[in-house]
Amino acid sequence: MSRTKRRLLLAGGFVGLLAVTACGAPEDGADGDVASRGISLLTASLPESLNPIAGFGNTGKGKTNEGLLTLEGGADTLPDFVPNLAAEDPTISRDAKTWTVAIRPDVTFSDGSTLDAGDVVATYEAIADPATASPIAGDLVNLEGVRAVDEMTVEFTLEEPQTSFRTALLIGIAPSESIMAGQKVEDSPLNREPIGTGPYLVESFATDRLVLVANEEYRSGAPEVETITYVLAADDNTRAQRLTAGEFDGSVLPPRLAAIFESNDDFDVISATSADWRGLSLPADNPVTSDPAVRKALNIGIDREAIIEGVLVGKGRPAHTFIPPEYGEYYNPDAVFPYAPEDAKAMLDEAGWLAGADGIRAKDGVRAEFVLMYRPSDLLRRDLSAAFASEALKLGFDVTIEGVDFDQAEPRAGQDAILLGGGDTPYDVDSLIYKALHSSYPAAGAFYDNASRYTDPEMDAALHEGRISVDTDARVEAYQKVQDLYLDDPSMVLLAFLDHTYVQKKSVGEAWNGTPTLLEPHEHGTAWGPWVDIDKWTSAS
């Protein structure tokens, strides 16, 4: 295949763009064309890599690299999978083991080359190759092979049926010439200089700032929002202060901080429903949390509603299992842990965990105490950890909370609990919960996948049945069983499904016709919220 290399080079430096990005109405003396300017967002996190093979933008909403499918839908329901780089919906064999995808003929990469089947094959093979060490390789564990049927058609062959394979078709595609077989993902130039088909190109990328500019060659036309500047401020209070100072057009904030802006006439506060859960692991190697009675008692003995009201100021819903109500027939409304603190205390007494003179329980000389780690820059996780510790103390547990970065938490995850978030790819119930509960994890993924090291052959069987079943009724039955098994022996204490809260200058909403939010995945930054489809914004003037 012939390729004309017109790769967009990363700027050697970035000076002053933030100062000239749009903040609402046209500037004095401007021609009134708000579409000729950009938007500046203060974000809680920036990606370490912009490489789709490393998992960047793998939820179907990538702004630089796009997937075969993307997502469309409402704010409070599961979105639909619709063609993006695919020309039409995939053709799926009756046994759901063969997926054939025709590719759009009008797509070019940012280097000027044309998208074809070879690019799709190279991307998926690189992710699946153990030598690449892709962090999303676990999403393709069922992929037997991928091949180009012809120049514009790709065929995926699965080892077992998997109707949830649609979620894997959200992964961004890179050009084959930029992919070196066997190259470790951290060594790829795509980490800093992505070559994609999306509506935006990378102008500059540093540890604290990412600047995207409109792709003038985009197949449906260049976005009207010409520049998006993401500036990193990991600390929640810092983002609130800088937003108040008028430096930025928008940001993501914890609900309690976002509430400060409710009475500010210069800002809009926008909430988005998510499948993003928060909860804490209960490590199987810890002498306290490994006890089934402890795990069950902690789940029925804490007041989730009080935690949501106190920490999230009501911006969330109680989480009992990993499946929220938005999953329709897969969700079991009876799969809840009733708030029953007295029952929890009786359960602990019966199991031999008896309260001492200081109110803390012990069993066979083991004190009912454990450490709960949280990411120190995340105030929400800190506050949820403190709220849980307070609730657990009422039951006779001494929980010490400790701010620990992930690189330090990883070697301790087998012994110490950790406040986690999840729901990274929540658009099928299989991709939502498999990594959280199947015993093949965390070995098959990251340390925070099934961080409790939960093992239950019956649970594994139910998860597998849900994954491979082609019949919807059979899938529903399997996931109902998953929830029943979890209620009997929970691996974690799930606390809440979050409503993500964003703050945006009111002038931005007046200057632009924005787009609605979608049901959101686990997210720390500003790629979602009101800006998830910013490439579709149009000028209001």
Side-chain angles (χ1 to χ4, degrees):
M1 173 186 2
S2 162
R3 302 250 179 201
T4 304
K5 295 295 181 184
R6 291 195 296 109
R7 183 173 302 181
L8 179 74
L9 298 177
L10 293 178
F14 170 73
V15 182
L17 181 59
L18 179 60
V20 299
T21 53
C23 296
E27 299 172 353
D28 293 339
D31 62 6
D33 180 13
V34 297
S36 67
R37 295 185 312 241
I39 192 168
S40 58
L41 301 173
L42 195 60
T43 186
S45 66
L46 283 176
E48 296 181 1
S49 167
L50 303 181
N51 187 352
I53 296 170
F56 178 65
N58 69 327
T59 51
K61 285 296 177 182
K63 293 175 175 60
T64 54
N65 291 82
E66 301 171 294
L68 294 168
L69 302 180
T70 187
L71 303 169
E72 286 183 359
D76 299 311
T77 59
L78 280 178
D80 296 322
F81 293 85
V82 297
N84 194 12
L85 298 182
E88 57 192 19
D89 289 333
T91 300
I92 309 170
S93 63
R94 290 177 63 87
D95 63 2
K97 291 176 64 175
T98 304
W99 294 59
T100 306
V101 183
I103 298 169
R104 290 180 60 142
D106 59 344
V107 180
T108 57
F109 285 99
S110 53
D111 66 356
S113 59
T114 301
L115 171 73
D116 66 16
D119 302 309
V120 177
V121 170
T123 298
Y124 280 85
E125 286 186 338
I127 294 170
D129 183 357
T132 303
S134 168
I136 61 169
D139 295 342
L140 300 181
V141 292
N142 193 29
L143 181 64
E144 183 177 278
V146 54
R147 70 182 185 96
V149 177
D150 56 40
E151 189 175 4
M152 301 303 290
T153 309
V154 176
E155 181 183 88
F156 298 89
T157 303
L158 309 183
E159 294 181 2
E160 295 182 299
Q162 185 183 348
T163 60
S164 67
F165 191 71
R166 285 181 182 84
T167 60
L169 300 182
L170 299 172
I171 292 170
I173 303 302
S176 58
E177 278 77 3
S178 67
I179 300 171
M180 183 182 300
Q183 181 183 56
K184 285 192 175 296
V185 69
E186 64 262 28
D187 297 328
S188 171
L190 294 175
N191 295 329
R192 313 301 300 180
E193 302 179 19
I195 304 171
T197 61
Y200 287 95
L201 309 174
V202 175
E203 179 171 288
S204 64
F205 181 33
T207 55
D208 62 345
R209 187 166 307 198
L210 170 64
V211 183
L212 303 181
V213 294
N215 181 359
E216 296 296 333
E217 305 300 323
Y218 191 58
R219 59 187 178 275
S220 59
E224 292 191 32
V225 179
E226 291 190 344
T227 305
I228 313 172
T229 303
Y230 303 94
V231 176
L232 175 64
D235 182 74
D236 297 326
N237 285 315
T238 299
R239 291 199 307 283
Q241 292 165 2
R242 296 183 72 179
L243 197 60
T244 302
E247 296 181 58
F248 295 89
D249 293 319
S251 189
V252 58
L253 290 173
R256 187 168 293 283
L257 280 176
I260 298 172
F261 292 85
E262 294 277 7
S263 58
N264 190 324
D265 292 338
D266 293 330
F267 293 92
D268 291 318
V269 177
I270 302 160
S271 295
T273 304
S274 82
D276 182 6
W277 53 260
R278 292 293 182 274
L280 59 136
S281 64
L282 299 173
D285 294 334
N286 183 290
V288 178
T289 59
S290 61
D291 189 323
V294 168
R295 295 198 299 268
K296 189 69 170 286
L298 286 173
N299 269 281
I300 68 173
I302 63 163
D303 190 344
R304 291 172 173 83
E305 294 282 3
I307 291 174
I308 290 170
E309 189 60 36
V311 177
L312 302 179
V313 292
K315 300 291 187 182
R317 297 151 294 148
H320 301 274
T321 75
F322 295 92
I323 303 176
E326 288 74 23
Y327 284 73
E329 60 190 336
Y330 294 105
Y331 169 70
N332 181 359
D334 297 324
V336 299
F337 293 103
Y339 177 47
E342 296 307 315
D343 290 347
K345 293 174 184 177
M347 184 181 299
L348 291 166
D349 289 341
E350 185 177 350
W353 291 95
L354 304 179
D358 59 355
I360 304 303
R361 296 176 181 272
K363 178 181 179 180
D364 299 331
V366 176
R367 197 166 186 262
E369 60 184 1
F370 59 92
V371 173
L372 173 56
M373 302 180 289
Y374 68 90
R375 194 173 60 184
S377 63
D378 191 325
L379 295 185
L380 183 58
R381 295 195 192 202
R382 181 201 66 186
D383 292 348
L384 286 171
S385 298
F388 169 81
S390 178
E391 290 288 312
L393 183 61
K394 300 174 188 177
L395 300 175
F397 292 90
D398 183 8
V399 179
T400 301
I401 66 170
E402 182 180 343
V404 178
D405 288 323
F406 267 14
D407 57 345
Q408 299 168 311
E410 182 171 359
R412 296 172 52 183
Q415 283 283 333
D416 295 332
I418 182 170
L419 201 292
L420 294 168
D424 294 0
T425 52
Y427 301 117
D428 186 277
V429 64
D430 169 58
S431 61
L432 176 71
I433 67 173
Y434 195 90
K435 291 191 291 186
L437 289 173
H438 198 275
S439 64
S440 61
Y441 291 87
F447 81 95
Y448 44 75
D449 296 325
N450 188 13
S452 300
R453 278 55 170 176
Y454 174 78
T455 300
D456 180 354
E458 196 173 2
M459 176 67 79
D460 284 354
L463 290 167
H464 185 252
E465 182 66 22
R467 169 167 284 189
I468 68 171
S469 294
V470 177
D471 178 71
T472 299
D473 290 341
R475 291 194 86 208
V476 169
E477 182 178 352
Y479 290 114
Q480 295 288 329
K481 184 174 183 180
V482 164
Q483 292 166 86
D484 289 339
L485 290 170
Y486 187 85
L487 286 186
D488 288 340
D489 186 17
S491 64
M492 298 181 61
V493 179
L494 295 175
L495 301 174
F497 293 107
L498 306 184
D499 291 342
H500 294 160
T501 48
Y502 304 92
V503 178
Q504 180 177 262
K505 281 187 175 178
K506 194 175 293 291
S507 56
V508 173
E510 294 167 349
W512 296 96
N513 297 312
T515 49
T517 62
L518 293 171
L519 179 72
E520 298 198 350
H522 180 63
E523 166 68 10
H524 297 294
T526 48
W528 285 70
W531 312 291
V532 63
D533 285 320
I534 196 171
D535 55 293
K536 297 181 176 64
W537 285 19
T538 59
S539 169
S541 61

